[in-house]
Amino acid sequence: VSTLKAMARPKPHYHHGDLRNALVEQALRLVEEAGAESFSLREAARLVGVSANAAYRHFADKSDLLLAVAAAGAHLQQQYLLRALSAVPERSTAAGAAIERLKAVGRGYVDFAVAHPELLRVMFGSRWPAPRNADGFRTTGPYALLGKTLDDLVSAGVLPAGRRPGAELKAWTVVHGFATLVIQGVAALQNKPPRNKAFEALFDFALIGLCGRMK
Amino acid sequence: VSTLKAMARPKPHYHHGDLRNALVEQALRLVEEAGAESFSLREAARLVGVSANAAYRHFADKSDLLLAVAAAGAHLQQQYLLRALSAVPERSTAAGAAIERLKAVGRGYVDFAVAHPELLRVMFGSRWPAPRNADGFRTTGPYALLGKTLDDLVSAGVLPAGRRPGAELKAWTVVHGFATLVIQGVAALQNKPPRNKAFEALFDFALIGLCGRMK
DNA sequence: TGTACATCAGTGAACGCGCGTTCACTGATGTAC
DNA sequence: TGTACATCAGTGAACGCGCGTTCACTGATGTAC
């Protein structure tokens, strides 16, 4: 019997080796499935195959673990944005390219929200620390990427330099508002075709608003 | 001793009389203080001065009570919007009046979000039933009010009729996005003066985007 | 290369807690005659 | 107007539950000599 037991034993190592990451990934998965509200540290540990207690070797407490989940979410979001940017095809004009890049950032943001709604909620729910600029906005992550894209829009001559200040907030408000409406279940935005159509309309709207004229 | 006890007894009536409303109001208060996440039915009943059990005379379960809270929140929100609309001063031109009314709706929406962030979260978190139009949007509440305001904008000659379709979604996205950023703690929007400044800039941006030209 | 030992990363049992919900009940209310 | 009785709106005790967290512990790891 003891031989069988030893054979069936699933844990070859007493030390996990990468428990911290394993817990964060499992927690992220659980959050995405059922939301942060019903997330439990014990369940995450259980599924990783470790005692609930072991988590306290790596995290101060439950909220600390969720903070790590939020950070992982930010990293994933960044990947979405960069992937969307790199998928933009070449353009003949700098103006066309700059516009398409701005659209890509927006699309990446929305795609991330659609694919990981609960994760986005956790990221916005938890005030994890991030460097901010003088205006009180985060200098890393989507906000910074958006800023760079808007700079390009000025260089390309699409966005008048005089209208550049405050453009981040406008663009971010639109894209975040749209993503929020989508993940909060607005019926008209639940299927992809109408959602894409709404996104296009919204982008045109935002671009006109930003530039102060029809393109 | 028993006399003192009788004198101190706070409940003159075995029947509460208006327990349902009392529970909803208490629950709403608790949600606003600490969020729906940590809300407990027992605490609400306790604070109303009634056994936890009594709540089940009026609500199927906890989530049913929260649904009622969301409905009460919607009613309160409507009051904010109507109050903001009625505070709009008279204007010499129909165009000016229509623009100011649109701005008032937006301001009311943001003011509600700032004053009752957790309540707004509950309202968007719970899928309480509401009539929808053919486009999948709710036909009551802020969305309908917004529609009417936009119609006025067309009548006043500010918004070209050709640009009217889809205008609700654009306006709603901006105002909801802004409210969401505010209540989610974006540092630059936490104090009233900069928030108002940002709102003004955002409104101008949105109006240009809606109308397709500078005003 | 071998060994002693500090440090590290886990275990397993237990804690107290507040929760949502159910049970059998009882006091108050209102209505038919 | 009085009374019998069905209905309604509460009570209080109890349930089982999973949770976060703490405790004393032990097996594995790595390093100094």
Side-chain angles (χ1 to χ4, degrees):
Chain A
V1 171
S2 75
T3 311
L4 278 173
K5 247 180 137 180
M7 285 174 65
R9 183 173 298 168
K11 268 172 283 170
H13 305 303
Y14 188 89
H15 281 200
H16 182 282
D18 194 24
L19 184 53
R20 194 197 140 89
N21 283 333
L23 281 171
V24 171
E25 276 165 33
Q26 186 58 253
L28 193 149
R29 231 168 288 136
L30 286 173
V31 162
E32 291 199 331
E33 280 167 20
E37 193 163 338
S38 67
F39 168 73
S40 100
L41 178 147
R42 289 179 92 111
E43 190 182 7
R46 205 181 302 133
L47 289 172
V48 166
V50 116
S51 75
N53 205 338
Y56 288 86
R57 217 25 91 168
H58 302 274
F59 302 97
D61 54 20
K62 185 190 180 183
S63 76
D64 191 31
L65 172 50
L66 281 175
L67 212 70
V69 170
H75 186 244
L76 185 59
Q77 185 186 45
Q78 185 82 348
Q79 290 180 320
Y80 266 78
L81 300 183
L82 292 176
R83 200 181 310 148
L85 269 176
S86 70
V88 173
E90 298 278 315
R91 291 274 153 170
S92 48
T93 67
I99 290 174
E100 285 305 314
R101 277 202 299 275
L102 181 64
K103 192 188 274 194
V105 174
R107 196 181 286 286
Y109 196 96
V110 173
D111 285 349
F112 173 74
V114 170
H116 308 278
E118 295 295 341
L119 191 51
L120 184 62
R121 262 194 261 272
V122 169
M123 288 161 60
F124 264 95
S126 64
R127 308 273 161 78
W128 52 293
R132 300 173 190 284
N133 66 12
D135 291 336
F137 294 105
R138 292 181 176 166
T139 54
T140 60
Y143 198 80
L145 211 72
L146 197 55
K148 207 191 155 307
T149 311
L150 289 165
D151 286 342
D152 289 354
L153 215 59
V154 175
S155 311
V158 178
L159 178 61
R163 295 184 70 84
R164 175 69 184 78
E168 278 102 337
L169 181 62
K170 292 167 186 168
W172 194 25
T173 297
V174 171
V175 84
H176 187 69
F178 187 69
T180 304
L181 290 180
V182 171
I183 71 180
Q184 278 170 349
V186 164
L189 307 175
Q190 297 310 297
N191 295 318
K192 200 161 188 187
R195 182 168 64 236
N196 284 345
K197 218 179 141 217
F199 178 81
E200 295 291 332
L202 211 52
F203 181 78
D204 292 344
F205 153 80
L207 192 61
I208 294 169
L210 281 173
C211 301
R213 53 161 190 260
M214 316 266 310
K215 54 179 165 171
Chain B
V1 172
S2 73
T3 311
L4 278 173
K5 247 179 142 181
M7 283 175 65
R9 183 174 298 168
K11 268 172 281 173
H13 305 303
Y14 187 90
H15 281 200
H16 182 283
D18 194 23
L19 184 52
R20 196 196 138 89
N21 283 332
L23 282 172
V24 171
E25 275 165 32
Q26 187 58 254
L28 194 149
R29 231 168 289 137
L30 286 173
V31 162
E32 292 199 329
E33 279 167 19
E37 193 163 338
S38 67
F39 168 73
S40 101
L41 178 146
R42 289 179 93 111
E43 189 181 7
R46 205 182 302 133
L47 289 172
V48 166
V50 116
S51 73
N53 206 339
Y56 288 85
R57 218 25 93 169
H58 301 275
F59 303 97
D61 53 20
K62 185 190 178 182
S63 75
D64 192 32
L65 172 52
L66 282 175
L67 212 71
V69 170
H75 185 244
L76 185 59
Q77 184 186 45
Q78 186 81 350
Q79 290 180 320
Y80 267 78
L81 300 183
L82 293 175
R83 200 179 311 147
L85 269 175
S86 71
V88 173
E90 298 278 316
R91 290 274 153 169
S92 46
T93 68
I99 290 174
E100 285 305 315
R101 275 202 301 275
L102 181 63
K103 191 188 274 195
V105 174
R107 197 179 288 284
Y109 196 96
V110 174
D111 285 348
F112 173 75
V114 170
H116 307 278
E118 294 295 341
L119 191 52
L120 184 62
R121 262 194 260 272
V122 169
M123 288 161 61
F124 265 95
S126 63
R127 308 273 161 76
W128 53 293
R132 299 173 191 283
N133 67 10
D135 291 336
F137 293 106
R138 291 182 174 167
T139 54
T140 59
Y143 197 79
L145 210 72
L146 196 55
K148 210 192 152 308
T149 311
L150 289 165
D151 286 343
D152 289 356
L153 215 59
V154 175
S155 311
V158 178
L159 177 62
R163 297 185 68 84
R164 175 67 183 79
E168 279 101 338
L169 182 61
K170 293 167 187 168
W172 196 25
T173 296
V174 172
V175 84
H176 187 69
F178 187 69
T180 304
L181 290 180
V182 171
I183 71 179
Q184 280 170 349
V186 165
L189 306 175
Q190 298 309 299
N191 294 318
K192 200 161 187 186
R195 182 168 66 235
N196 284 345
K197 216 179 145 220
F199 178 81
E200 296 290 333
L202 211 53
F203 181 78
D204 292 343
F205 153 81
L207 192 62
I208 294 169
L210 281 172
C211 300
R213 57 163 189 259
M214 316 265 311
K215 54 181 168 171

